[in-house]
Structures are given as structure tokens and as C-alpha cells.
Amino acid sequence: MSVGEAADITAGTDIAAEAGELVTSLMLRPWGQVSTSVYETGRLVSLAPWLTGHRERTDYLIRTQRQDGAWGAPDGYGVVPTLSATEGLLAALTRADPDTDRASLAGAVERGLRVLTTWLSGPLDLPDMPAIEHIVPSLIARINQRVEDLPGQAPIPLPAAMSYDALHVVRSRVRSGKEVPEKLLHALEIASDAAAGAPGIRPTPIGSVGASPAATAAWLGEHGERDAHDPARGHLEAVVRLYGGPVPVGLPITVFERGWVLSWLLRAGVEIEVPPEMVADIRTAIGPAGTPAGPGLPADADTTSVALYALALLDAPYEPDSLWGFRAGTHFSTWPGEQGVSVSVNAHILDAFGEYVRRVPAAAPRYEAAIGELTGWIRERQQPDGSWTDRWHASPYYATVSCALALDAFGGESARDAVRAAAEWTLRTQRQDGSWGRWEGTAEETAYAIQILLLTSGHADPRRLEAADRGHAHLSGRAGEHPPLWHDKDLYVPTAVARAAVIASSHLVRRARAQAVQPR
């Protein structure tokens, strides 16, 4: 056996072991593995100073502030986290919270207010994030209430395209005691004081509201400090213990995490042993209306379709009838009544329908028309350069891998040119160091690029093999670094999902290398 062959075998063993450990971790941490959030942590500093880990949360906000006074990513993504962190630290400062460094708080607040005033006074291009049209006005109003007592500090402006009108409607509905739409619960903190103990809201059996620490804290209000045994407070304490003070933007994300992790690994051909109880749990989670990402969230077409696709890859296909409830003409919505549209969601539905028909050919007549319509709809939304962009992820590499893989597998001959254009765009946009990324080279985005090159037709093209090989060197060196790119109220990273994408792509590169050296 040659040294190269031995290295390939060792690499294969390492990938199998890493994938197995990752799948095991899904069972050991069933709420999910998610990065901490500046936005969500800022809300807890403001709303729940009585909660364990308050000093750790204020320190986290101060530590993560950039030199220019902002928090978060470029291109408008910093507005929401900067508003939240500034308001949270301003709350701690004006309350004179004990066990906090007042000078550090004052300095961070001053820098945050300065950058916000600059941003909000000029043209502002905000990304398409959940509830952003409510979150921004609600935080500006809270900041302006607090700065009234700060000498020499003027109120910060509301962006010209925004108003407080919709916020007043939301707060009035919450205060009335009427049932609140599930999708609103995830951002219940925008209702301010009206959220506390709102009679139309009930926490989930695990004590969460809207799968959000901020929403849960807003519903608890001052009652949370008085009753240490309230289940909702118990849930918050559990989340804080998991993360050591700062908190994620959404938890639990059980079904979402399992669906995406298994899909990335299985699609790439990584051999894994999936516990039968995990398969059963995913199947049980899918009801007539689909499945949510986790308890407290509304059912959505994205989580439902990826869970269905994973089940089919696990040779446990389940009728995807629940997806019809999300149909909106020739495409599908993330949830009924969605404002906006997502190409990645529709690509995942194409995966779910296509893989189910592949496993259950007798079902073809029921889904063939939708498969054709989805194929055409996704193709029409491809950018002139060959990429796609999406409302659920900041990176075009995520949208493009979702669309290119689905079209390649189930779009037929009509999709060949679109898939080829996606691969050519991927080749053109590789960075000099071998990585791919929107703002900088990242392991997650490099993994998606490698999948576009090696999991679609034409993968034997030497240019693709060389590019993937160069990317793998970068991938291997930064496999544990995943900056937040996924859309929620704040950018976040589902770390197990990103890790699965990296493992899958490493496996693809190793397999491509082995095939390239085989005698013809």
C-alpha cells in the first residue's frame, strides 16, 4: 500500500468518526447547537437583569463591540444587533446595575449611540430579516426613552421608511388578550410591557415562548424575578447554564438541526449510523400542517421539506402531503401568508418531492406537475452571473448550493444550463487562498462551493477538481470557525449544521481524489 493510499484510508476513517460523533451529539444536545446572539443577549440584559449570568451578558456585549462602536456584520446587518446591545447596556447604565463596570458601560453606550445616529440619519438599506420592521422601531423607542436623562444626548432618528404604526397594532392585539399568531411569538419582546403575562399567550411545555429567550423574558416580565419556580424562568435558567450567560436567538431547533445535518451527510454519501429513535422522532414531528423547527414556532415549509428529504434518504420515505398547505401558485411559501419569497425553501421542496417520487415511483402523477413548476420557478430566479440569493441566509453560496443540487437531481434536462452556470460562477468567485465567502473566506461557504462543484453534473471537470482541492486545504484549516450567516432576528450559525456541511464536503474531496487516481 502506498503512502497516499494509506493517507486516504486514514482520512476516510477520520471523516466517518467525525460524522458519527456529530450524529451522536444531536441526541446528547436535543435542543440544538446554536451560536450566541448579540441581539438576544442585549434583550435579556434589558428585560431580565435578575436572571443568572447578568454580568456575563453585559461583559459579552462590551467584549463583542467593534472598534467603530457597532456590533454585527456589514451591509446593514449590524443595525439590529447594535440597537439591541446599545439599548441593553443603556438600561444597565441608567439602572445603575450592581456588579457592573460603569465606565465600560458608559463608553460602550456612547460609541453605540454615535454609530447609530450616523446610520439612521442617512439612507439605510436593511436586510430581509424576520420582524425587522417591528424590531427597529421598538428598539429606537426604548433607546429614546432612556436617553432623555442623559445630558447632551439627542434622540436617535427613526429611518424614513419606517413608522411606529404597525408596532402599536401589535401591542394592542397582545394587550387585548386575543390569540397571538405563532410567528409573532418568536419576537414577542417587540410588544414591550404589553407582553408581560399577556393572557392570550401560553408557554410551551418546556417553558419557552416562541423558541426565544427574549420572548420568554418579555412574557415573564417582573413576575420572573418574584417567582424563581415559574417554568418559563426555569427554561431561561437552563438556556443560560448551557451558554454561560449569553444566549442564542432561537432554541430549541431540534427538527431543523436534525434534518439539515442528516441531509448534508447523506446526500454526500457519508456513511453514518442514525439511531432509530431519531428517525422515529423526525417522522412523528411531521403532522398534517408540517413541522416547526422546534417547539413554540409555527410549522414551516423549509423544516418540513428538509425533514421529509432526510427521511427519504434514510430509506424511510413519508408522504409529503403536508407541503401542499404552503403552496402559493407555482411556488411555495415558508409559511402561509409569508411576506417575501425564498428560493432555498422551494429548492428544498423540490428535493422532498423528487426524492419521494424516486423512492415511491407510483406517487409520480401526484407530484410531477409541481416538480416541473418548481424547476421553472427556481430557474427564473437565477441571477445573471449564475448564482442565487435568499432571504434565510446572508451568503449566495447557501442559496446557490440549495438550488443547484435540487435542479441537478430533479430538474431534468431543462435545468442543465442553470446548474452549469452555477458551477461556473462558483469557479469564478473562488478567492486566492482557495476559500469562498461573501465577506471573507469561511469554512461553511467553502463547503457549499465544493458541493456545487462535486455534487452536480460535470463534477469530473479537472477545473472543478483543482478548485475543490484548493478549497479543501482552507476548509481543513478552519473547520471549527463559523461566523454567523443564517437569518433570524440576528445573524446566527447552527453550528452542527455548518459542521455537517464541512464534513460532507471533505468526504466529497477525498472521494474525488480517489476516483481521479484510479486506472482507466
Side-chain angles (χ1 to χ4, degrees):
M1 180 184 297
S2 70
V3 174
E5 290 172 329
D8 278 344
I9 291 173
T10 301
T13 303
D14 290 345
I15 288 172
E18 190 175 0
E21 186 274 329
L22 177 59
V23 172
T24 299
S25 76
L26 305 184
M27 298 295 288
L28 297 176
R29 298 185 61 181
W31 281 4
Q33 300 164 53
V34 194
S35 62
T36 54
S37 160
V38 168
Y39 169 80
E40 206 82 0
T41 300
R43 295 304 77 230
L44 257 61
V45 168
S46 180
L47 298 169
W50 39 264
L51 186 66
T52 301
H54 180 65
R55 174 61 186 267
E56 287 77 9
R57 283 186 287 280
T58 59
D59 287 348
Y60 168 82
L61 295 180
I62 292 170
R63 185 175 68 251
T64 54
Q65 187 177 29
R66 301 199 314 247
Q67 287 189 344
D68 64 358
W71 285 263
D75 299 339
Y77 284 99
V79 172
V80 164
T82 301
L83 281 167
S84 182
T86 301
E87 195 281 331
L89 294 176
L90 184 56
L93 181 66
T94 55
R95 288 190 307 241
D97 287 355
D99 194 31
T100 55
D101 184 339
R102 187 171 180 82
S104 296
L105 287 175
V109 167
E110 192 277 329
R111 292 189 295 274
L113 290 172
R114 187 190 314 132
V115 74
L116 284 170
T117 300
T118 300
W119 285 348
L120 300 174
S121 298
L124 193 61
D125 186 16
L126 293 173
D128 184 10
M129 306 281 278
I132 194 169
E133 72 277 15
H134 301 309
I135 289 172
V136 170
S138 70
L139 290 173
I140 289 174
R142 292 182 72 95
I143 287 174
N144 287 339
Q145 286 175 346
R146 296 191 187 281
V147 299
E148 290 178 354
D149 299 326
L150 291 183
Q153 178 62 52
I156 59 175
L158 183 71
M162 290 188 166
S163 77
Y164 296 108
D165 295 345
L167 198 58
H168 294 324
V169 172
V170 169
R171 291 174 177 174
S172 176
R173 182 179 181 90
V174 171
R175 193 177 288 110
S176 73
K178 295 178 181 178
E179 186 177 353
V180 177
E182 275 189 300
K183 66 179 181 179
L184 178 60
L185 291 180
H186 187 56
L188 182 64
E189 64 275 9
I190 64 172
S192 191
D193 295 341
I201 297 170
R202 292 288 180 272
T204 65
I206 64 171
S208 65
V209 174
S212 161
T216 305
W219 183 84
L220 271 172
E222 295 181 355
H223 174 75
E225 182 176 14
R226 296 193 301 269
D227 186 358
H229 301 291
D230 187 290
R233 172 160 179 178
H235 174 76
L236 286 179
E237 295 284 358
V239 175
V240 167
R241 284 197 299 273
L242 279 173
Y243 288 87
V247 292
V249 73
L251 206 73
I253 58 162
T254 308
V255 183
F256 165 83
E257 180 182 77
R258 292 177 177 183
W260 261 261
V261 167
L262 297 179
S263 293
W264 287 137
L265 296 176
L266 293 167
R267 187 168 212 157
V270 180
E271 293 187 7
I272 52 174
E273 184 174 341
V274 181
E277 57 268 39
M278 185 184 295
V279 181
D281 286 347
I282 295 172
R283 161 63 191 85
T284 303
I286 303 172
T291 182
L297 294 171
D300 69 85
D302 209 16
T303 306
T304 303
S305 57
V306 175
L308 287 164
Y309 179 63
L311 286 173
L313 293 180
L314 288 164
D315 203 24
Y318 182 66
E319 181 81 43
D321 265 352
S322 56
L323 290 173
W324 293 121
F326 301 97
R327 193 166 193 175
T330 58
H331 70 283
F332 290 71
S333 300
T334 308
W335 51 72
E338 176 188 18
Q339 295 179 346
V341 65
S342 165
V343 293
S344 71
V345 170
N346 283 272
H348 296 150
I349 293 171
L350 178 56
D351 279 334
F353 284 168
E355 193 63 36
Y356 183 75
V357 168
R358 179 182 287 171
R359 306 280 173 153
V360 186
R366 181 163 172 75
Y367 298 102
E368 278 180 340
I371 288 172
E373 289 174 347
L374 282 167
T375 296
W377 187 90
I378 294 167
R379 284 173 46 218
E380 290 170 2
R381 277 146 189 83
Q382 189 173 29
Q383 300 294 314
D385 64 4
S387 69
W388 282 269
T389 58
D390 195 57
R391 66 179 316 215
W392 295 119
H393 202 285
S395 173
Y397 294 98
Y398 174 80
T400 303
V401 74
S402 299
C403 294
L405 266 57
L407 289 177
D408 186 72
F410 307 112
E413 192 59 36
S414 67
R416 293 293 175 240
D417 287 345
V419 174
R420 190 178 304 111
E424 291 298 324
W425 169 78
T426 304
L427 289 171
R428 288 195 307 272
T429 57
Q430 186 172 27
R431 292 171 176 266
Q432 287 189 345
D433 66 356
S435 68
W436 283 268
R438 172 175 176 172
W439 294 306
E440 61 178 339
T442 71
E444 181 186 349
E445 292 168 282
T446 299
Y448 298 149
I450 289 173
Q451 291 184 42
I452 295 166
L453 297 176
L454 300 185
L455 270 180
T456 60
S457 301
H459 55 80
D461 183 336
R463 298 177 304 148
R464 296 199 196 184
L465 297 176
E466 181 193 1
D469 208 42
R470 288 179 59 219
H472 187 251
H474 178 86
L475 195 71
S476 303
R478 301 182 62 183
E481 299 177 27
H482 300 297
L485 293 167
W486 294 67
H487 282 194
D488 201 325
K489 294 177 283 185
D490 194 1
L491 287 180
Y492 75 104
V493 54
T495 52
V497 173
R499 185 179 165 199
V502 170
I503 293 171
S505 297
S506 295
H507 170 76
L508 290 172
V509 173
R510 183 186 66 85
R511 187 174 69 185
R513 286 173 177 167
Q515 291 172 345
V517 299
Q518 286 179 354
R520 296 185 181 275

